[in-house]
Amino acid sequence: MKKMKFGSSDVDVAAVILGCMRINNAENPVKVIETAYESGIDFFDHADIYGGGDCESIFGKALKETSIKREDLFIQTKCGIVPGKMFDFSKEHIVASVEGSLQRLGMDYVDALLLHRPDALMEPEEVAAAFDELAQAGKVKHFGVSNQSPQQIALLKKAVKQPLVANQLQFGLKHTEMIDQGIHVNMSDQGSFDHDGGIYEYSRLHDMTIQAWSPYQYGFFEGVFIGNEKFPELNQKLNEMAEKYQTTPTGMAAAWILRVPNMQVIAGTMNLGRITEIAQAAEIRLSKEDWYALYMAAGNILP
Ligand SMILES: NC(=O)c1ccc[n+]([C@@H]2O[C@H](COP(=O)([O-])OP(=O)(O)OC[C@H]3O[C@@H](n4cnc5c(N)ncnc54)[C@H](OP(=O)(O)O)[C@@H]3O)[C@@H](O)[C@H]2O)c1
């Protein structure tokens, strides 16, 4: 498994993360964890809200049925969303959420905690107090964010002392907005639109790892683009490249993400064969020409 530094920390982590948002739908969660681990994926992403808490409980219980040691895994969770009600970065909510996650996971600590979605009413000092308490108690090793812009991160950094090592953002062949703007600087076409305040370049400048969520989806959870007749050109190119690099279209789409500096991919599949394909694809390094060919086959243009 390809390894990379986790943000500015000195910890090496797997390039492929298994996202556990759908583990409550897995036929055999024990086999999912074992297959991922045997394929080199020892990094698992959670959130307090996945399955209303069930995903963390299912994972925690399933892990105990394997022979894998907790300390050999990198466990990440997220907090800050109160579904349908609000985003809450108050100290009280962050600390209580982590306590709940640890209880459900059956663990004493998580390796990383990310703030899930920006809370418009966030006070950086409250987040800092929560992070200090969790770090001092040894309950959280690393901190980061998700779906945050450079300015929001800068605002947090006014008070937060711990390095913010990761930002989880949607990215994939049908979600290229984060890099389009850099490719279309000084143009007036659609690609030049700045959605995220230059978060891709900011993350590289500040040594924050980007974790690409929902890498196979198009639209807002409209479906998967692999094998989808809505995207004939993309699928034709994925098939061609899969043959060239001796992988599958699923593997190729992950390798395309991992060719971007600074990125991990969070695969959400619970299919054992796909987990293995994606893990193996982390070893592939696409040529620049092939990377751009896939970028264009996905419907993007070069100015
Ligand atoms: N930070 C955030 O705001 C945020 C938001 C959403 C998700 N996430 C994280 O990202 C992770 C991944 O999200 P996701 O599950 O939406 O990502 P995904 O990997 O894009 O999608 C996985 C889903 O697509 C299906 N699928 C069908 N064909 C596939 C193929 N050829 N290759 C791969 N998948 C295929 C899978 O079904 P099978 O299981 O049958 O393969 C599974 O239901 C989550 O688990 C979570 O950890 C974070």
Side-chain angles (χ1 to χ4, degrees):
M1 168 59 59
K2 178 184 161 189
K3 295 272 181 175
M4 51 197 289
K5 283 276 174 256
F6 193 44
S8 56
S9 79
D10 56 4
V11 177
D12 287 321
V13 288
V16 180
I17 300 174
L18 190 76
C20 297
M21 182 177 77
R22 302 178 195 265
I23 202 165
N24 52 346
N25 296 326
E27 265 174 45
N28 187 341
V30 175
K31 235 14 214 145
V32 165
I33 297 172
E34 285 175 343
T35 303
Y37 189 71
E38 282 156 18
S39 320
I41 305 173
D42 55 6
F43 193 132
F44 295 87
D45 181 63
H46 289 272
D48 54 355
I49 57 165
Y50 291 163
D54 286 353
C55 295
E56 289 180 329
S57 305
I58 291 166
F59 183 93
K61 190 164 165 278
L63 181 63
K64 290 201 166 63
E65 289 178 41
T66 72
S67 55
I68 303 165
K69 294 195 201 107
R70 191 276 167 250
E71 57 273 26
D72 291 337
L73 299 183
F74 195 100
I75 304 293
Q76 171 174 280
T77 194
K78 304 187 286 293
C79 69
I81 297 181
V82 185
K85 291 190 178 157
M86 60 180 165
F87 299 143
D88 188 355
F89 286 4
S90 64
K91 181 186 176 202
E92 197 182 24
H93 180 79
I94 294 170
V95 172
S97 165
V98 172
E99 299 289 359
S101 290
L102 291 177
Q103 207 171 20
R104 288 188 292 274
L105 289 162
M107 295 176 186
D108 302 329
Y109 68 95
V110 287
D111 296 277
L113 173 72
L114 310 185
L115 300 172
H116 207 157
R117 272 208 176 269
D119 169 8
L121 307 180
M122 180 267 285
E123 302 289 354
E125 294 75 17
E126 278 206 58
V127 176
F131 283 10
D132 284 347
E133 186 173 315
L134 292 165
Q136 277 155 24
K139 291 179 179 171
V140 176
K141 306 281 179 209
H142 302 278
F143 295 89
V145 297
S146 174
N147 305 309
Q148 292 210 12
S149 70
Q151 291 293 69
Q152 290 167 327
I153 296 166
L155 180 58
L156 271 176
K157 282 185 174 179
K158 265 182 77 182
V160 170
K161 290 198 292 289
Q162 294 80 8
L164 297 172
V165 290
N167 194 1
Q168 199 171 106
L169 297 154
Q170 189 166 22
F171 185 73
L173 271 160
K174 288 309 294 176
H175 271 284
T176 56
E177 298 82 6
M178 191 195 306
I179 53 168
D180 294 342
Q181 201 258 331
I183 290 174
H184 291 256
V185 168
N186 200 33
M187 303 297 292
S188 56
D189 57 1
Q190 207 188 337
S192 67
F193 186 74
D194 182 2
H195 294 263
D196 315 302
I199 191 60
Y200 169 60
E201 288 80 7
Y202 177 93
S203 304
R204 295 189 66 184
L205 271 169
H206 294 271
D207 294 323
M208 289 182 81
T209 298
I210 295 177
Q211 303 180 334
W213 63 259
S214 293
Y216 294 99
Q217 310 293 313
Y218 67 93
F220 189 65
F221 294 106
E222 279 174 56
V224 172
F225 58 79
I226 304 273
N228 189 324
E229 59 187 20
K230 282 191 176 150
F231 311 107
E233 202 188 328
L234 174 58
N235 277 291
Q236 195 190 334
K237 191 54 85 181
L238 277 169
N239 289 335
E240 190 187 304
M241 295 287 175
E243 207 174 313
K244 177 173 173 183
Y245 287 92
Q246 298 189 328
T247 179
T248 59
T250 296
M252 186 44 56
W256 184 84
I257 292 173
L258 294 175
R259 181 62 177 81
V260 181
N262 230 27
M263 285 217 191
Q264 289 177 296
V265 64
I266 319 178
T269 181
M270 292 292 125
N271 174 298
L272 308 182
R274 285 185 188 132
I275 292 173
T276 313
E277 280 167 34
I278 296 168
Q280 286 170 351
E283 307 302 334
I284 297 168
R285 185 172 163 85
L286 268 83
S287 72
K288 279 200 186 200
E289 192 179 346
D290 290 342
W291 186 89
Y292 276 101
L294 278 165
Y295 176 73
M296 288 188 276
N300 298 300
I301 53 156
L302 300 181

